[in-house]
Amino acid sequence: MDWNRLNQYFLRLPELNFSLDVSRVPFSDEFLSEHESQIQKAFDDMEALEAGAIANPDENRQVGHYWLRNAELAPDAETAESIRETLKAIHEFSHKVHDGSISGQGGKFENLLVIGIGGSALGPQFVAAALGNPTGDALVPHFFDNTDPAGMDLTLSTLAGKLDRTLAVVISKSGGTPETRNGMLEAEHAWKNAGLDFAKHAVAVTGEGSKLDKHAESAGWLARFPMWDWVGGRTSETGPVGLLPAALQGIDIDGILSGAAAMDEATRVRETLRNPAALLALMWLHETGGKGEKDMVVLPYKDRLSLFSKYLQQLVMESLGKEKDLEGNVVHQGIAVYGNKGSTDQHAYVQQLRDGVPNFFAVFIQVLQARAGSDSIEVDEKVTSGDFLHGFYLGTREALSDNGRASISMTIDDVTPSYVGMLIALFERAVGFYASLVGINAYHQPGVEAGKKAAASVLDVQRKVADRLADQTGTWKSVADLADELGLAGKEEWIYKILEQLSVNRPDIEQDSAPSSPAESSFRHS
């Protein structure tokens, strides 16, 4: 790559000790000027968003995650005060847990079980892994992030004999999200089986007046913290969803907020070449053609950031994966995101990235500090393990460039609360800018709601099928029989898959032995 191009398209923010290099994206010198009017409109859109405009017309909601790290930006005094009071309450509650003023039935809390799904789990998991204390967290975090019984059993097995000193944080805006509700019910059952009162170990993060809020209040849970309707799950990490688990773990949440606020300031600058989020969004536009033509591969060269790509999958894909644009035209937008960490990826899929299908662009995250607190040994003459990691980063980036693969690099000094806050805020803003550039709504998720409705329909069919078999105990029924008797023509595949699963998990449902096809399968209630 060209040294002059690097100097032209290398953005250094000395006040943040952060840099962004887009020189290895092969855009022309005219590309930025050709899209300047579009990015200026994106700035306008973002200013309106932060000022309190309705950004989610489907639900008539504002989108105010930026207010979480600067309450002064909130559109009214009531909202600003709610943000400040909630942050104060998080600090006070966490302090009381840490000093033992609030404790479990077995004594001072030592473990934390976070129960959530999507943004209510991915953000807390990423931050827990990135910023956990290597010498011991104030509370050791564990997660229920799915409705998989075996997964919950595995987590509970690590807490065996410790539930009396475990604090559970249940996170759900509505309280009706099935995965989170199921996790809560499984947790309540586990605490009861251990002879414990779950309410004396439970905290809710939820919407005011929600099902979960009412349940927590009536059961006498330890505390309740708000989830405001103007904060979406995937942008909730700098609110109670992310801050409460982090504070309980012992992480400096003020550092996260200050880093996010500092990046917010940097990404409000209306000079494109000085705005890292604007540059990031424009690079996405260039590489994807504004139509999702390429995937984004996120490659952080630090173990502590290994969950960042997973976190970004939701932030980017749920925000940008949309069927229709703002005018109602079918556009099928989106950017697929995947990644792991360097240099692990060097021995996984970098081979395909360099020599295979050129359907991606890479985003490298370089962390300058190799190790804190001690000198590194030389693993080769005058070379440390950290030097090798840095060499692999530069070498991989060079290998991709040599074969015409575009990459973006960002550099931070270390993985600290401030830098984690910066990274979260940077990608949140870039997503908003990109959505404006391609004319979609980044802040609704109709596809997610469609999936929830379909799942509810499946469970309704399951109840009908199981009841029908129970009404005729001992009688073998084919899928076609059941579909015909229940008026479920067209749902034969659902019926088969439902009964296939029930026959393994319920002793009262049997499948005939060795059927050659789904159509020849029979089931009965015994």
Side-chain angles (χ1 to χ4, degrees), residues 163-184:
L163 292 180
D164 59 347
R165 287 158 285 136
T166 298
L167 179 65
V169 176
V170 184
I171 307 174
S172 173
K173 183 179 289 186
S174 68
T177 305
E179 297 93 337
T180 305
R181 181 208 59 193
N182 295 354
M184 179 192 72

Side-chain angles (χ1 to χ4, degrees), residues 427-447:
F427 279 88
E428 284 180 350
R429 183 86 59 164
V431 162
F433 283 155
Y434 183 86
S436 180
L437 289 171
V438 299
I440 60 171
N441 184 351
Y443 304 108
H444 68 163
Q445 49 280 334

